[in-house]
Amino acid sequence: MIYKKLILLFLFIIVANANDVKLYFKNNTVKNAQTALLFLEAKNIIEPKLTLMSKTKVNQKFYKNKFLDNTYYALVPISYYLSPKEYKVIISYIKDGKKVFKSIKLKVVDGKYKSEVINVSKSKLKPNKQRAKRTKQEYIEAMNIYKTQSSELLWNEEFIYPMNSKITSAFGTKRVYNGFLKSYHSGTDYRAKIGTDIIAVNSGIVKIAQNRFYSGNSIVIDHGQGVYSCYYHLSKMYYKVGDSIKKGQIIGLSGDTGRITGPHLHFSFRINSIQVDPLQAIDILNKLTSK
């Protein structure tokens, strides 16, 4: 009798474990403008979603993790301007015909980015009408692309860096004009004399390949599921919109096009349309392949 009870208990534990749902961040503390990686381990669920409970609620999708069975993942990009504090993340999914809700905490801390103080005449802060019209149109076109999330993940291997060179300007430096925070450095700058090879950090599809006012000759690659890498100020672009790119391919040459003072590569990242630290994004994305 005792033996039978032990068998039944063992079977019950197996069934219970099979129905368990595990929810966890790879790291539940991130800086502003960084990306958090959330895992959801579960069987037989559909429509998993999450909401970051900030001032303006941010909704994100979960995607099936192709690197691990019965696991979903969600990238939670944090805005540069999000206030440092602990936030609740609400997760929902449907299991056995019923909607289930769970929650988890995510702590956002101040990135303590350096400041760059710039004093200029007021006339230089206000763009002329023609330039304002062009830059506004380019911004709208780009954001329409960044807000699009393809369902397929277009890469199978770890991300790499766009070049092997000294970083001359780190991500996140605050640009304070005449005492007011007007912008911040939205990418990572690499030292690169004109004509240096620039490589794709992973496989994907070209979504932007054009000359733009601020960023000059620009290539943007869609890696799937809301992940975009951006390469600016190029002297030459070797691919056009719609072209498929393989990891490590030379996509163009560095240059000094656009509104800059000297040649370099400005490398940036967008995740779910949010601008994030590109090097930290690469680090967190590579954890998908290793869990």
Side-chain angles (χ1 to χ4, degrees), residues 26 35-37 75 279-288:
K26 193 68 180 178
T35 306
L37 175 59
L75 295 169
L279 303 189
Q280 189 268 343
I282 283 177
D283 179 64
I284 206 72
L285 284 165
N286 286 347
K287 287 179 169 53
L288 262 181

Side-chain angles (χ1 to χ4, degrees), residues 53-247:
M53 303 300 289
S54 57
K55 255 185 185 178
T56 55
K57 294 179 181 179
V58 180
N59 299 309
Q60 306 288 359
K61 293 181 180 179
F62 276 92
Y63 290 102
K64 194 76 174 176
N65 185 356
K66 69 178 183 180
F67 303 105
L68 191 66
D69 292 338
N70 300 316
T71 303
Y72 298 82
Y73 83 95
L75 295 169
V76 187
I78 303 302
S79 167
Y80 186 91
Y81 300 105
L82 191 66
S83 299
K85 67 175 187 178
E86 191 172 69
Y87 291 88
K88 180 184 285 188
V89 180
I90 304 295
I91 293 86
S92 68
Y93 55 87
I94 296 174
K95 185 175 179 63
D96 299 328
K98 296 179 180 179
K99 196 161 190 177
V100 180
F101 292 91
K102 289 184 176 293
S103 68
I104 191 170
K105 299 288 187 178
L106 177 64
K107 186 176 182 181
V108 177
V109 298
D110 189 344
K112 296 183 179 178
Y113 299 106
K114 295 180 180 179
S115 292
E116 180 181 34
V117 178
I118 304 170
N119 293 308
V120 297
S121 65
K122 290 183 179 179
S123 61
K124 290 186 178 180
L125 285 177
K126 189 175 181 180
N128 62 52
K129 290 183 179 179
Q130 185 178 1
R131 191 183 87 188
K133 183 178 179 181
R134 176 184 173 183
T135 55
K136 181 180 179 181
Q137 183 60 35
E138 289 173 351
Y139 176 79
I140 291 171
E141 290 171 355
M143 289 307 298
N144 286 338
I145 290 169
Y146 297 138
K147 289 176 182 177
T148 302
Q149 297 185 24
S150 58
S151 59
E152 182 185 359
L153 199 62
L154 302 175
W155 53 275
N156 293 296
E157 302 173 321
E158 289 192 344
F159 281 73
I160 55 177
Y161 298 124
M163 64 184 306
N164 182 19
S165 178
K166 180 181 178 180
I167 292 174
T168 56
S169 184
F171 172 87
T173 302
K174 302 170 186 175
R175 268 75 184 270
V176 180
Y177 289 86
N178 297 354
F180 295 94
L181 176 62
K182 290 291 183 180
S183 64
Y184 64 92
H185 191 225
S186 60
T188 299
D189 286 351
Y190 286 89
R191 177 179 293 165
K193 63 182 181 180
I194 294 175
T196 305
D197 290 344
I198 304 301
I199 63 174
V201 297
N202 219 324
S203 301
I205 297 172
V206 176
K207 291 296 183 178
I208 293 176
Q210 69 176 114
N211 180 273
R212 301 192 291 178
F213 180 81
Y214 286 115
S215 55
N217 292 331
S218 309
I219 285 184
V220 173
I221 300 174
D222 176 10
H223 301 287
Q225 297 181 353
V227 178
Y228 292 85
S229 62
C230 315
Y231 314 77
Y232 297 158
H233 309 307
L234 305 177
S235 59
K236 289 187 179 180
M237 298 181 289
Y238 291 152
Y239 293 90
K240 63 183 185 301
V241 172
D243 285 346
S244 293
I245 300 291
K246 297 296 183 185
K247 170 184 170 181

Side-chain angles (χ1 to χ4, degrees), residues 24-43:
Y24 55 95
F25 281 106
K26 193 68 180 178
N27 186 344
N28 66 351
T29 300
V30 294
K31 297 177 182 179
N32 58 310
Q34 290 192 341
T35 306
L37 175 59
L38 181 60
F39 286 109
L40 174 63
E41 292 184 12
K43 292 182 179 179

